[in-house]
Amino acid sequence: MSAHRYETAVTRYFEAWNAASAEQRAKAVAAAWTEDGRYTDPLADVTGHEALAAVIAGAQEQFPGFEFRPAGPVDGHHDTARFSWELVSVTDGSAPVAGSDVITLAEDGRISSVRGFLDRVPAGS
């Protein structure tokens, strides 16, 4: 597997998490995940494009004015990659939430599953 394949998948992943409208989000989720793609973290366990888009919309509503950004390089082997991320305020650069994700890729390069871990969360969340 080429490193480019992992980078492309992760780029699409961030595009989905940062999509500004419901229409953009639906397109970005379809580009990033397989139809039966699954996302699991401490707060969510969903499967399928509609459920994925709903989780992303919920995160955006909870943190308006923030965007997900990669925190460091993508590391991958076989059909699996891992990377870290931060949720960053576009106004002041603060990053109250950070995590690490492990993704599994399907044959077509889209994500079939994500296992997310929260490394930093705001107090009281």
Side-chain angles (χ1 to χ4, degrees), residues 69-84:
R69 296 182 186 167
V74 176
D75 181 28
H77 66 81
H78 297 85
D79 63 353
T80 304
R82 67 178 177 171
F83 57 94
S84 295

Side-chain angles (χ1 to χ4, degrees), residues 4-5 22 28 30 39-40 52 65 67 71 73 79 91:
H4 178 70
R5 184 169 185 243
Y39 177 85
T40 308
L52 289 161
E67 67 181 19
D79 63 353
T91 54

Side-chain angles (χ1 to χ4, degrees), residues 10-80:
V10 172
T11 296
R12 288 183 186 149
Y13 180 76
F14 282 107
E15 286 170 356
W17 278 97
N18 292 322
S21 70
E23 184 180 353
Q24 289 174 320
R25 197 163 32 250
K27 285 181 180 175
V29 165
W33 271 275
T34 59
E35 284 75 9
D36 61 348
R38 183 174 177 190
Y39 177 85
T40 308
D41 74 11
L43 307 174
D45 185 359
V46 298
T47 302
H49 289 173
E50 282 187 32
L52 289 161
V55 165
I56 292 169
Q60 290 177 349
E61 287 165 18
Q62 188 177 355
F63 293 96
F66 284 77
E67 67 181 19
F68 286 90
R69 296 182 186 167
V74 176
D75 181 28
H77 66 81
H78 297 85
D79 63 353
T80 304

Side-chain angles (χ1 to χ4, degrees), residues 84-96:
S84 295
W85 53 266
E86 292 181 317
L87 186 60
V88 180
S89 167
V90 295
T91 54
D92 68 12
S94 64

